Amino acid sequence: MTIYEASYLLRYVFVVLAVIIALRLLLSSIRDLNWGIKHSLRPAQGYFLLSNQGDGQTMSLPLYHTTNIGRAASNDIRIYSDEVKRRHALIYRFDGDWYVRPQGAASDVLVNEEEVHEPCRLKNGDTVSFGPSTFVFVDERAIAAERGETYEEAIFDDEAFYRAVERNSRPPYAMWILMNLFTLITTFLVFRMMPGVKEVQKDFLLYTAVALLLLDLYFLLLPLILRFADRILFLTAAQLTVIGMAIQSRLALVGTRTWRRAVESGSEAEMLQAARELFSAYRTQLMALFIALAVLWLVMLITSRTRFLEAITVLSGIITPLLLIITLIFGRGAATHGAGLWISLGGHSLQLTEFAKITYLITMAAFFKNRTPFRVQIYFAVWAGVNFFLLMLLPDLGAIMILLPVTLLVFVVMTSEYIKALLILLSSGVLAVFAYAVFPHVRSRLSGWTSLWDEVNDQNRQVVYGLQAIGRGNLTGRGRGNGSPGGIPLAKSDMIFDIVCEEFGVIFGICVIVFIVILLLRAIRTTILARDGFTSSLALALGAALFFEAFVVIGGTTGLIPLTGVTLPFIAQGGSSLLSKWIMTGLLLGLASRHEEGANRT
Amino acid sequence: MKKLIRNLKIAFAVLMVLSIALGAGLVYQQRQSQTTLLAVAGENKASLRARYAKAGEIISSDGIPLAYSEEGERRYAEDPMLQRSISHVVGDYTHHMSNTIETLYQDELLGTRRRLIEQLLLDFSGRGMQGSNIHLTLNSALNAYAYELMQDYTGTAVLLNWRTGEIVAMVSTPAAPMANIIAYEDIPDSGLFNRALMGRYAPGSVFKIFTTGAWLESPERNPSFSLDCTGEPLRPNGARDSGHGHVDLNSAFTLSCNVFFGELAVATGADEMIDFLDSTGLQKLDSVDRLSKAAPRWNNEAAEHDEALLSWFGTGQAVGDLVLNFTPVDLALTSAAVANGGKLMEPHIVSKITNPLNQVKEKAEPKEIGRMFSPQVAARLQQLMTEAVASDQSIQTNARIDGFEVGGKSGTLEVDTEGGRSNNALWTGFINDPDYSWAAAVICEDVSGTNSTAVAVGGRLLEAAVRSTGG
């Protein structure tokens, strides 16, 4: 039996492994999310409103990180009075402090008997009035500090809650072992199929082993770095990364024409040269992973322990368009990819737009940490408009197709502005028509998509070839190294999902989708459990961005929607992409471990 | 907070619907890719090359691999004659030709359409990656010989077993070497066109087999019908010929007398001619296994009130608005039916498909799919056709084979070509011996003079077939 025949047999193993890991993690995530939703109405500890009942009796009202006050049933605190609007006011926490803000110009909100129209910070003992009702804001920590005591959070319920959060963040170790098994088998197969040059074989094993070891170490040590480390999230990202390593090493090293030509030449020097050259593509990818993992702990710690993200919201608002402008001026690669998104830097090319996405999300999360007044929404619209305009100029359609739905989603979830969201959706439809009319790049993508089932032409060749690869893969794939990615343009980056489907099969492809969904579920869980609006909205934004990025590229390469140049998170070739996805993961991990503890630390 | 949870639930529901749609869409697109897209676009050459490098073999009936995969490459029978002779049937892995075994049996050759149980069985015996082998009814030696006979002409030759319907030789000329077809260069005009299956030819005098059959089946027939042929048409603009003197059915068939057969068609009647042709069942035959075959066509509506035109129809000349054409396979099947008591056997080119474990997946069995002639008419036609070859007056002497009774009918058709007028020479015939049950049809396009070339090629082909079976 040759190694290729063995690989053909092993394809069943990969499918089984992927299905087990995906299903197990998915079930854990769903169960946990369910639990989260049930326990999410958990008031902030040590903060509440006192209300005077008139007969000397007082009642304490719980506060949530975003507490809606008004007459309507959907409010957290309902006041039955005609002087109170349906949506009257909002009390929310940001950056560790509490604020109150009227929901509209007509809502009267008094703090210490002075009318307020802007967000007003609340201190212990402040009186807050909404129409006829007056409350006193109580901060037990401040009281304790005045008395020179330390505030203790030790309530049994909370301990049980934390234990549950910790338990729910822990994936079964068996899944971690299966991930390692997956990597060992894929690595073994590539090792046996790759050019038989000792030096390069050694390097391949070394780099792969170090990458796997780092992922394992992180997985094991994560609870030491962060208290509520979301290891299911980490394991899912790691699983996607090892799938990426498996497919990138195979594409770089197995069955290449470069190697065949070198063998035909018969010269040993040429063979060594060719093998080194082939390996360099894989090495670049792994170097990006090493850099990502080297900074991951820092990203996580800063996110969870400090208010750094809150501090840089304005700065990232400025950086985002700057990154785009720099790319617009210095960007390279228009000839090969239709859009010049690459910046050359010391012999490496860097895709700044990948990082602009992150800063965009941070700023957006700050804007929509709660239901913002209309005026602020307009500011945001202008700022976002500038960014989208720059993205169109690049043109980076992929980024638009990711950021637009993410923005809409976060906007709707955080502000409940369903009608406005619908209007934005409609106007973006108009914009799409505009883009179609103005940019030939857009037109050709679309015509390629519509003619998909009629003929093969220059516009749709890539997708047609990709679909053929998916078709060849059938349910269980053709085995590693047995696929024929040779004819597919951009097989390593844009079209990677099709290669995954050809060699691992469509079942495995669905598992990849499930992994992405798990990332989203974990992000939504953080959104629910978070103790302040900013953490909530940023977690949602990051999760949704990963989800939509995968959605756009998988939909595009399978011909379900028009193709745009987007990379499949963690799997596609591209150092900038991999690095930025791991930074996003780091942010999510950090946000997940904030909870009560993080939110209270000042 | 309540609102946030509610909004999140809605958003979550939308995103889940999107994910499920994506997963379902992926499966759907895979199906589409395997059906619609494959039909429209075929596959890209690079991947075909890689996939066929592991494909199953295409094997001739005498065990010669016509197409096989070795050392990561698809290879074809090395002998240049054989390679060209099978090029139209076997085809190329690049799918430049579409009506071929390589293209139409791709799923079997690559092993992509297997039931799960079979695939598992093959996987665990270590042969999961190999495709199935396609065994053809074609005999490599006879096929190469047929090509050798035909290589100087443009045309086609078909040889089949009239008892089983198995096609043992099928060539079409001109043909190109496989390397040229794959590279798509230096291919002679129409060199990729399989004339044997897809060529529609006016039958000329070969059609007189049908005219005779229709007349014999019709109530109007008069067995002792005879006439004096002066060569002049019996009705204005009707069928004419050189003068044959007094002819009856026997001598008219041997001499292929146009005037006589024109009168037979008129006596039978236009509608009755068509009814008879429809009753043969040939027009329903539009494929040979998975390979497409052009169905024969006939229409004489124009001659319904025009006896002169109808007389031309009877001679097999599609003049004016008449429609009359057959593929070479149809003509060979006609001779086969005559030899076989009127039975139309289902033609086959694939005898069986075996998987890598040598288990037979599909096997062609001889099957009667219709009756072209009644036994009596078939017997009479046998007699006429054998006499036409054996007779002193025969114009088919080239078809004779020592020690065997050969039946045949030749035809010539004047056609307009770029270089002026020229002739298509046609012949179909059979060996009247159940132990050597061979039937053939040959068409040589654009030959000068008479139909003797086609007759000679047909005779040599039948003779070779006889010798190959020990005769």
Side-chain angles (χ1 to χ4, degrees):
Chain A
M1 190 182 267
T2 68
I3 187 68
Y4 290 94
E5 283 164 346
S7 163
Y8 195 68
L9 265 184
L10 283 169
R11 75 204 208 278
Y12 292 115
V13 176
F14 294 136
V15 170
V16 170
L17 282 180
V19 168
I20 293 177
I21 299 175
L23 276 187
R24 189 69 186 73
L25 294 184
L26 181 68
L27 288 179
S28 298
S29 307
I30 290 175
R31 213 178 304 131
D32 185 18
L33 192 63
N34 220 353
W35 184 91
I37 288 175
K38 273 189 204 138
H39 293 79
S40 62
L41 280 181
R42 207 167 48 96
Q45 289 299 315
Y47 304 98
F48 47 87
L49 289 181
L50 268 183
S51 102
N52 195 336
Q53 298 295 78
D55 50 359
Q57 297 277 314
T58 54
M59 187 171 77
S60 72
L61 298 170
L63 287 175
Y64 307 97
H65 72 61
T66 305
T67 312
N68 289 296
I69 297 151
R71 211 172 66 228
S74 61
N75 288 299
D76 298 302
I77 297 176
R78 284 183 82 179
I79 301 170
Y80 303 92
S81 162
D82 291 342
E83 291 169 50
V84 173
K85 301 280 172 266
R86 285 179 57 76
R87 289 195 304 247
H88 194 89
L90 192 64
I91 294 182
Y92 65 93
R93 175 145 70 166
F94 177 65
D95 207 358
D97 294 324
W98 288 87
Y99 297 86
V100 63
R101 180 167 65 68
Q103 286 265 44
S107 308
D108 353 311
V109 175
L110 304 174
V111 175
N112 297 331
E113 292 171 12
E114 272 177 45
E115 212 165 303
V116 293
H117 299 288
E118 297 294 315
C120 173
R121 197 181 147 194
L122 293 175
K123 291 180 295 297
N124 183 36
D126 286 350
T127 62
V128 195
S129 310
F130 310 106
S133 307
T134 302
F135 304 90
V136 177
F137 175 76
V138 178
D139 178 351
E140 289 185 338
R141 284 176 182 73
I143 295 171
E146 271 170 32
R147 292 181 190 156
E149 297 166 2
T150 41
Y151 175 73
E152 283 184 28
E153 242 180 67
I155 299 172
F156 278 117
D157 270 7
D158 266 20
E159 275 309 310
F161 177 82
Y162 289 139
R163 271 203 303 277
V165 170
E166 261 174 313
R167 189 183 59 237
N168 291 343
S169 315
R170 210 178 313 142
Y173 277 84
M175 298 306 113
W176 168 67
I177 291 170
L178 290 187
M179 180 200 86
N180 276 285
L181 185 64
F182 175 89
T183 316
L184 289 181
I185 303 176
T186 53
T187 307
F188 168 75
L189 286 177
V190 169
F191 176 72
R192 290 293 307 277
M193 291 173 182
M194 70 186 287
V197 176
K198 277 262 156 48
E199 177 198 316
V200 176
Q201 279 179 319
K202 213 174 72 196
D203 278 356
F204 167 71
L205 286 186
L206 184 69
Y207 275 81
T208 311
V210 169
L212 184 63
L213 216 66
L214 281 176
L215 289 172
D216 282 345
L217 270 180
Y218 258 112
F219 178 78
L220 294 173
L221 298 182
L222 216 47
L224 298 182
I225 305 175
L226 299 171
R227 180 167 173 208
F228 299 106
D230 185 350
R231 289 206 282 172
I232 294 185
L233 174 74
F234 180 85
L235 187 60
T236 310
Q239 176 62 47
L240 284 170
T241 305
V242 295
I243 293 174
M245 280 161 52
I247 206 84
Q248 292 299 346
S249 59
R250 177 258 179 271
L251 283 176
L253 295 167
V254 179
T256 57
R257 206 169 298 162
T258 316
W259 177 246
R260 257 203 309 276
R261 227 176 280 133
V263 171
E264 273 162 20
S265 79
S267 136
E268 238 170 73
E270 217 161 292
M271 279 157 71
L272 179 64
Q273 176 64 27
R276 276 184 187 156
E277 194 183 306
L278 293 173
F279 180 67
S280 71
Y282 180 58
R283 189 179 51 208
T284 310
Q285 184 82 355
L286 283 199
M287 286 313 290
L289 181 64
F290 294 157
I291 294 172
L293 293 179
V295 298
L296 182 66
W297 63 275
L298 202 63
V299 174
M300 290 191 301
L301 278 182
I302 289 176
T303 310
S304 87
R305 300 272 169 88
T306 72
R307 309 272 120 226
F308 180 71
L309 291 182
E310 281 87 341
I312 61 158
T313 51
V314 177
L315 186 65
S316 30
I318 299 166
I319 287 177
T320 310
L322 272 183
L323 287 175
L324 297 179
I325 290 170
I326 291 172
T327 308
L328 197 57
I329 297 171
F330 299 104
R332 298 278 176 273
T336 47
H337 295 80
L341 302 180
W342 286 264
I343 304 284
S344 294
L345 204 75
H348 296 278
S349 65
L350 203 62
Q351 217 178 335
L352 291 181
T353 47
E354 287 287 351
F355 302 100
K357 279 181 210 161
I358 299 179
T359 55
Y360 175 93
L361 295 178
I362 292 175
T363 307
M364 180 185 67
F367 267 109
F368 297 124
K369 55 187 176 285
N370 52 49
R371 192 189 177 99
T372 40
F374 184 65
R375 193 164 34 84
V376 180
Q377 289 179 16
I378 295 293
Y379 295 158
F380 174 77
V382 170
W383 175 78
V386 168
N387 286 318
F388 279 113
F389 181 70
L390 289 170
L391 283 172
M392 268 204 188
L393 284 184
L394 279 171
D396 189 354
L397 296 179
I400 295 177
M401 283 182 68
I402 297 162
L403 293 182
L404 194 66
V406 171
T407 306
L408 271 181
L409 187 83
V410 173
F411 177 63
V412 138
V413 169
M414 301 310 291
T415 67
S416 312
E417 300 267 22
Y418 284 91
I419 294 167
K420 263 186 215 151
L422 197 69
L423 288 177
I424 296 171
L425 203 63
L426 287 178
S427 59
S428 58
V430 174
L431 269 183
V433 174
F434 170 76
Y436 180 78
V438 172
F439 299 105
H441 182 60
V442 181
R443 257 199 309 279
S444 88
R445 291 283 170 136
L446 214 65
S447 82
W449 182 61
T450 48
S451 62
L452 196 55
W453 305 114
D454 305 324
E455 55 166 13
V456 184
N457 53 39
D458 285 345
Q459 279 84 46
N460 68 16
R461 180 161 288 116
Q462 204 177 355
V463 178
V464 166
Y465 286 5
L467 274 174
Q468 287 167 341
I470 294 178
R472 291 195 293 272
N474 234 331
L475 288 183
T476 51
R478 301 173 62 197
R480 281 173 57 63
N482 294 330
S484 4
I488 305 173
L490 295 181
K492 287 181 183 172
S493 50
D494 289 16
M495 304 302 287
I496 194 80
F497 186 73
D498 297 346
I499 311 297
V500 172
C501 283
E502 179 178 12
E503 296 214 331
F504 289 105
V506 82
I507 298 176
F508 195 96
I510 289 175
C511 289
V512 169
I513 298 178
V514 171
F515 286 129
I516 299 286
V517 168
I518 294 171
L519 292 181
L520 177 71
L521 292 178
R522 299 312 291 180
I524 291 183
R525 163 189 182 267
T526 301
T527 303
I528 289 173
L529 295 181
R531 308 307 287 160
D532 68 276
F534 175 74
T535 306
S536 260
S537 81
L538 184 57
L540 180 65
L542 290 168
L546 288 173
F547 174 82
F548 278 111
E549 179 147 8
F551 185 88
V552 165
V553 69
I554 293 176
T557 54
T558 54
L560 290 167
I561 55 175
L563 181 67
T564 44
V566 176
T567 52
L568 186 61
F570 303 103
I571 296 181
Q573 187 187 39
S576 308
S577 167
L578 188 63
L579 182 56
S580 82
K581 295 303 148 2
W582 270 104
I583 290 176
M584 286 164 82
T585 310
L587 290 175
L588 273 173
L589 285 167
L591 293 176
S593 72
R594 274 184 166 187
H595 294 296
E596 198 85 23
E597 181 187 37
N600 287 333
R601 186 159 297 134
T602 47
Chain B
M1 202 59 207
K2 277 193 222 163
K3 267 189 199 161
L4 177 70
I5 300 294
R6 191 196 60 187
N7 294 343
L8 261 182
K9 279 181 182 169
I10 295 173
F12 177 68
V14 170
L15 294 177
M16 283 311 103
V17 167
L18 279 181
S19 324
I20 291 168
L22 187 64
L26 173 61
V27 175
Y28 175 76
Q29 294 294 77
Q30 186 181 53
R31 282 272 153 256
Q32 285 283 90
S33 161
Q34 289 166 340
T35 53
T36 315
L37 190 62
L38 197 64
V40 175
E43 276 202 70
N44 70 76
K45 305 295 175 220
S47 100
L48 282 173
R49 187 189 162 85
R51 300 188 77 193
Y52 272 86
K54 294 162 192 156
E57 293 187 357
I58 301 175
I59 307 162
S60 73
S61 64
D62 48 339
I64 305 292
L66 304 177
Y68 55 100
S69 299
E70 204 175 72
E71 292 169 9
E73 267 184 52
R74 189 66 167 167
R75 296 187 176 164
Y76 297 91
E78 265 172 38
D79 179 80
M81 285 291 170
L82 179 59
Q83 195 184 87
R84 284 175 173 82
S85 78
I86 48 113
S87 66
H88 296 93
V89 174
V90 168
D92 57 312
Y93 72 80
T94 39
H95 295 183
H96 285 134
M97 289 190 282
S98 55
N99 193 24
T100 61
I101 303 286
E102 286 276 62
T103 304
L104 297 172
Y105 285 83
Q106 178 184 339
D107 53 353
E108 298 289 353
L109 286 166
L110 302 181
T112 49
R113 280 275 166 96
R114 284 178 179 150
R115 279 172 299 123
L116 188 63
I117 302 289
E118 189 191 3
Q119 185 65 55
L120 281 173
L121 184 70
L122 289 173
D123 282 350
F124 287 95
S125 54
R127 290 163 190 270
M129 278 167 73
Q130 295 174 19
S132 298
N133 295 330
I134 313 279
H135 300 259
L136 301 186
T137 57
L138 295 184
N139 176 295
S140 68
L142 287 173
N143 226 60
Y145 182 62
Y147 181 80
E148 202 180 321
L149 291 172
M150 287 297 296
Q151 62 179 334
D152 295 335
Y153 308 105
T154 295
T156 160
V158 175
L159 177 71
L160 53 78
N161 182 326
W162 55 253
R163 272 192 304 118
T164 60
E166 289 173 346
I167 297 174
V168 285
M170 180 152 93
V171 299
S172 179
T173 52
M178 235 22 146
N180 294 14
I181 297 173
I182 290 162
Y184 209 72
E185 59 187 23
D186 285 339
I187 296 169
D189 255 8
S190 76
L192 300 186
F193 181 63
N194 187 340
R195 292 173 154 75
L197 285 171
M198 300 308 289
R200 284 196 164 104
Y201 292 91
S205 297
V206 171
F207 185 69
K208 287 167 186 166
I209 299 170
F210 290 96
T211 309
T212 310
W215 183 70
L216 289 173
E217 299 275 15
S218 94
E220 305 301 322
R221 75 173 195 281
N222 167 11
S224 56
F225 176 75
S226 64
L227 56 77
D228 285 313
C229 168
T230 62
E232 285 308 305
L234 293 181
R235 46 203 90 234
N237 294 323
R240 64 174 168 275
D241 209 333
S242 51
H244 291 117
H246 189 77
V247 286
D248 60 3
L249 182 58
N250 285 6
S251 52
F253 198 94
T254 303
L255 295 167
S256 197
C257 174
N258 280 347
V259 177
F260 185 87
F261 284 93
E263 282 314 296
L264 285 196
V266 172
T268 309
D271 287 348
E272 286 73 10
M273 287 290 290
I274 295 297
D275 288 347
F276 174 77
L277 288 169
D278 287 348
S279 74
T280 61
L282 272 184
Q283 78 282 10
K284 290 181 199 136
L285 208 60
D286 57 3
S287 66
V288 175
D289 297 316
R290 288 190 202 174
L291 305 189
S292 309
K293 168 193 158 301
R297 290 192 297 214
W298 40 73
N299 187 326
N300 64 6
E301 272 168 32
E304 218 154 308
H305 305 290
D306 185 344
E307 293 187 337
L309 201 55
L310 185 56
S311 69
W312 278 116
F313 190 74
T315 67
Q317 307 283 333
V319 298
D321 290 334
L322 296 175
V323 176
L324 197 53
N325 54 48
F326 292 83
T327 67
V329 168
D330 297 320
L331 298 181
L333 285 170
T334 304
S335 279
V338 168
N340 199 18
K343 286 182 239 171
L344 176 60
M345 301 303 289
E346 182 176 29
H348 282 294
I349 198 142
V350 171
S351 61
K352 64 180 178 185
I353 300 173
T354 55
N355 72 12
L357 294 175
N358 254 330
Q359 294 165 323
V360 177
K361 291 182 67 181
E362 264 182 58
K363 193 172 182 1
E365 300 290 347
K367 185 177 159 203
E368 185 184 332
I369 53 168
R371 193 159 261 288
M372 287 183 71
F373 313 103
S374 70
Q376 297 78 14
V377 171
R380 182 79 174 101
L381 283 169
Q382 253 176 47
Q383 184 200 350
L384 288 169
M385 286 173 78
T386 48
E387 197 180 303
V389 175
S391 155
D392 297 341
Q393 297 174 293
S394 175
I395 52 175
Q396 303 178 55
T397 49
N398 280 339
R400 289 175 190 165
I401 302 171
D402 280 351
F404 288 90
E405 194 179 33
V406 177
K409 185 75 196 81
S410 62
T412 321
L413 198 85
E414 221 173 63
V415 286
D416 293 318
T417 58
E418 282 170 24
R421 312 209 99 195
S422 77
N423 293 320
N424 280 356
L426 301 90
W427 185 77
T428 181
F430 59 91
I431 293 174
N432 199 11
D433 185 332
D435 295 331
Y436 301 96
S437 51
W438 305 110
V442 176
I443 295 175
C444 300
E445 291 176 23
D446 202 7
V447 288
S448 54
T450 64
N451 49 32
S452 57
T453 39
V455 180
V457 169
R460 294 296 68 70
L461 193 53
L462 284 179
E463 189 176 18
V466 167
R467 302 284 168 254
S468 79
T469 31

